[in-house]
Amino acid sequence: MNNKEKLRKAGLRPTKQRMIIADILLDGINRHFTAENLQNEINSSGNSMSIATIYNCLKKFRNCGLIKQVESSKDTAIFDTNINQHHHFLDEETGELIDIENDEVNLRKLPKIPQGYLNNGVEVLIKIKKKI
Amino acid sequence: MNNKEKLRKAGLRPTKQRMIIADILLDGINRHFTAENLQNEINSSGNSMSIATIYNCLKKFRNCGLIKQVESSKDTAIFDTNINQHHHFLDEETGELIDIENDEVNLRKLPKIPQGYLNNGVEVLIKIKKKI
DNA sequence: CAAGTAGTTTAGAACGATTTTAAAGTAAAA
DNA sequence: TTTTACTTTAAAATCGTTCTAAACTACTTG
């Protein structure tokens, strides 16, 4: 399926700007990035785009499940092209994130989901720090 | 141990402002809060404090291990008075966090920590959403 | 206790990420 | 086509947080 079809399937109009971003992000390679990182990639691909459009687009992509947003208390939002359930190592000093594939983690016991709620995904974060 | 002693032990001068905050936060009750929540509590306790002081203080308390900061992609920093290793349910719609005690979760298998790093804490986040 | 000094508080300015605005542009529907 | 709804844009606005630099205060040392 090409990117135009992916956007259509997600219910998004395949505009010029969304196609530029889809061509960068939806190449099957897993990576973490910020809005600013993406703008730099867009610029170096010879295109340009308003930062507002980039934010709009990332929000739409996230809401449609084309990308994920990482839970992180950094001041800048971090997105992830790996949309499968998976986990992260986080170096709190540098903010660096490293993927952990889902089958690397095995939960023996999970708590009871609160009354009236459904489980909507489990994320394990392993904070790491450099050995001295 | 009283709050003045707790601050001293943590290497912090027990100033008037830090004591006001310690009296609110270090009462043994677990809760999640933002800087603004705390300022409201300070105000309704009949005191007042510059927002800069509140941020300074929360940062110092966090660095000393008197409180924790929750990993969350919300736009506002969320702090936690529960400093034991524990986990959270997160309702992404509302941002509501619910504690999960450490013994409610049991990890059968953990990935190998990357070369040159130490494990510095594991956090499990279970995203939940309201049943329709 | 007195005087020094190092750390702390403050209001307000500054900052950086993100969102809003409102006008111009574009894709899809009729 | 023409219309309609959605999208993009630059610039302004907003919001949480940090910085600044001056006033203040806790602790140290004499």
Side-chain angles (χ1 to χ4, degrees):
Chain A
M1 184 163 39
N2 63 32
N3 287 336
K4 186 171 275 191
E5 288 167 346
K6 282 185 196 166
L7 291 176
R8 283 234 162 77
K9 198 177 157 203
L12 297 176
R13 277 190 192 175
T15 63
K16 180 166 160 278
Q17 289 79 356
R18 287 176 186 161
M19 286 300 292
I20 291 169
I21 290 180
D23 287 344
I24 292 172
L25 297 182
L26 308 183
D27 62 356
I29 293 171
N30 294 336
R31 48 187 154 167
H32 305 116
F33 63 96
T34 64
E36 200 194 348
N37 295 155
L38 179 56
Q39 188 170 46
N40 291 337
E41 284 203 68
I42 291 167
N43 291 339
S44 48
S45 77
N47 294 290
S48 78
M49 205 175 294
S50 161
I51 191 69
T53 304
I54 293 173
Y55 277 106
N56 284 342
C57 188
L58 288 174
K59 211 190 278 190
K60 294 266 187 189
F61 277 34
R62 191 228 305 132
N63 293 344
C64 294
L66 292 172
I67 60 175
K68 278 186 161 188
Q69 183 170 356
V70 178
E71 294 293 332
S72 139
S73 54
K74 290 206 69 185
D75 47 359
T76 308
I78 299 171
F79 296 89
D80 194 338
T81 56
N82 183 353
I83 56 176
N84 301 314
Q85 171 161 308
H86 67 286
H87 311 289
H88 290 110
F89 290 112
L90 168 66
D91 180 339
E92 289 182 292
E93 299 257 316
T94 63
E96 191 193 7
L97 282 167
I98 303 170
D99 275 5
I100 302 171
E101 289 311 314
N102 198 40
D103 62 10
E104 292 285 311
V105 170
N106 208 317
L107 288 158
R108 183 195 302 268
K109 185 180 171 185
L110 269 189
K112 200 163 147 293
I113 304 297
Q115 190 61 245
Y117 286 91
L118 294 169
N119 182 332
N120 196 32
V122 176
E123 279 184 27
V124 176
L125 181 75
I126 303 181
K127 292 184 271 183
I128 56 178
K129 67 174 173 195
K130 282 214 174 60
K131 279 183 194 165
I132 13 127
Chain B
M1 182 163 41
N2 63 31
N3 287 335
K4 186 171 276 193
E5 287 167 346
K6 282 186 197 167
L7 291 175
R8 284 233 161 77
K9 197 177 157 206
L12 297 177
R13 275 191 194 176
T15 63
K16 179 164 159 280
Q17 288 80 355
R18 287 177 185 160
M19 286 299 293
I20 290 169
I21 291 181
D23 288 344
I24 292 172
L25 297 182
L26 308 182
D27 61 357
I29 293 171
N30 293 338
R31 48 188 155 163
H32 306 117
F33 63 96
T34 64
E36 199 193 349
N37 295 156
L38 179 57
Q39 189 170 44
N40 291 337
E41 285 203 67
I42 291 166
N43 291 338
S44 49
S45 77
N47 293 290
S48 78
M49 206 175 294
S50 162
I51 191 68
T53 304
I54 292 173
Y55 277 106
N56 284 342
C57 189
L58 288 174
K59 210 189 282 190
K60 291 268 187 189
F61 277 33
R62 191 232 301 134
N63 292 344
C64 294
L66 293 170
I67 62 176
K68 277 186 164 190
Q69 184 171 356
V70 178
E71 292 295 332
S72 139
S73 55
K74 292 206 66 186
D75 47 359
T76 309
I78 299 171
F79 296 89
D80 192 338
T81 56
N82 183 352
I83 55 174
N84 302 314
Q85 171 160 312
H86 67 286
H87 311 289
H88 291 109
F89 289 114
L90 168 66
D91 180 339
E92 289 181 290
E93 298 259 315
T94 63
E96 191 194 6
L97 282 168
I98 302 169
D99 275 3
I100 303 171
E101 289 311 314
N102 198 40
D103 62 11
E104 292 286 311
V105 170
N106 207 317
L107 289 158
R108 184 197 300 269
K109 185 179 170 187
L110 269 188
K112 200 164 147 290
I113 303 297
Q115 190 61 246
Y117 287 91
L118 293 169
N119 181 332
N120 196 32
V122 176
E123 280 185 27
V124 176
L125 182 74
I126 302 181
K127 291 183 271 183
I128 57 178
K129 67 174 174 196
K130 282 214 174 61
K131 277 183 195 164
I132 12 130

